[in-house]
Amino acid sequence: GAILIAFTVPFLWFFGLHGGLTVGGMVGPLLTANTAFNAELQKAGILDLAHGAHIVTQQFYDNFINLTGSGQTLGLTLLLVLFAKSAQYRQLGKLALTPNLFNINEPILFGIPVVMNPIMGVPFIVGPVVNAILLYMAIATGILAPMGAQLPPWTVPTVISGFILGGPSYAIAQFVFLIISTVIYFPFF
């Protein structure tokens, strides 16, 4: 399910459809129920997989699948700002950086464009899928604890939302996933 969600959000965006709203509308009730169940386990002091905690929750979706916006584009934005040879792309990166820090990436999606661009579509779709698999495995193997009741708004910047979710371990995880998505974008950039 996590892979399907992580794939579908950017896949729909590739065709110009708002993947986050479309997929979020369909899976939101399920993810909210999973989050509420984990909150009850946390309240009881037994938030772990052995007691039935869910891995895929609203936080998983908001703060990891959509890390820095659909398609995890902050890495691409940083590449534009730091390494673009074109003055136009460097300027686009500078203009898009602030909104992208708050998980709003439409300036990049339509400015490069990523939408309907088969070259940029590859890392745009692959990055969230890779990171969703890595996060799922990290929680399933006990490297990271399941997420509990903390539910930061989706606009809280990366790393800060990680601290809210689960302290330094989740902040570091978000930072690592940001680096991974940047590395995935680099050859296509």
Side-chain angles (χ1 to χ4, degrees):
I3 293 170
L4 184 61
I5 295 167
F7 171 81
T8 306
V9 170
F11 181 76
L12 291 173
W13 262 118
F14 175 78
F15 293 102
L17 301 170
H18 198 299
L21 289 178
T22 305
V23 173
M26 291 185 283
V27 301
L30 300 172
L31 299 177
T32 301
N34 288 354
T35 300
F37 183 77
N38 283 8
E40 290 300 318
L41 291 177
Q42 185 178 30
K43 184 177 177 182
I46 53 173
L47 179 61
D48 56 37
L49 297 178
H51 289 94
H54 295 282
I55 294 175
V56 184
T57 61
Q58 190 65 46
Q59 301 96 317
F60 189 103
Y61 174 76
D62 287 343
N63 302 107
F64 288 92
I65 288 177
N66 285 338
L67 181 75
T68 74
S70 299
Q72 303 180 356
T73 57
L74 182 58
L76 176 59
T77 303
L78 293 172
L79 290 171
L80 290 172
V81 170
L82 299 172
F83 302 112
K85 293 178 182 174
S86 161
Q88 181 179 354
Y89 278 139
R90 240 185 343 271
Q91 185 62 33
L92 173 62
K94 290 175 186 175
L95 291 171
L97 184 58
T98 301
N100 212 178
L101 289 172
F102 294 92
N103 305 323
I104 298 166
N105 63 350
E106 281 81 356
I108 292 296
L109 297 182
F110 297 107
I112 286 186
V114 172
V115 172
M116 300 297 281
N117 182 339
I119 294 169
M120 295 309 296
V122 172
F124 183 72
I125 294 169
V126 169
V129 171
V130 167
N131 284 339
I133 292 169
L134 292 174
L135 178 63
Y136 190 95
M137 289 179 9
I139 296 171
T141 60
I143 295 170
L144 292 172
M147 291 175 253
Q150 302 79 1
L151 191 59
W154 63 270
T155 55
V156 174
T158 299
V159 178
I160 296 171
S161 65
F163 272 110
I164 295 169
L165 287 171
S169 60
Y170 269 99
I172 291 167
Q174 283 186 327
F175 184 72
V176 168
F177 293 157
L178 175 60
I179 291 170
I180 291 169
S181 66
T182 303
V183 168
I184 290 170
Y185 271 108
F186 186 74
F188 298 89
F189 162 77

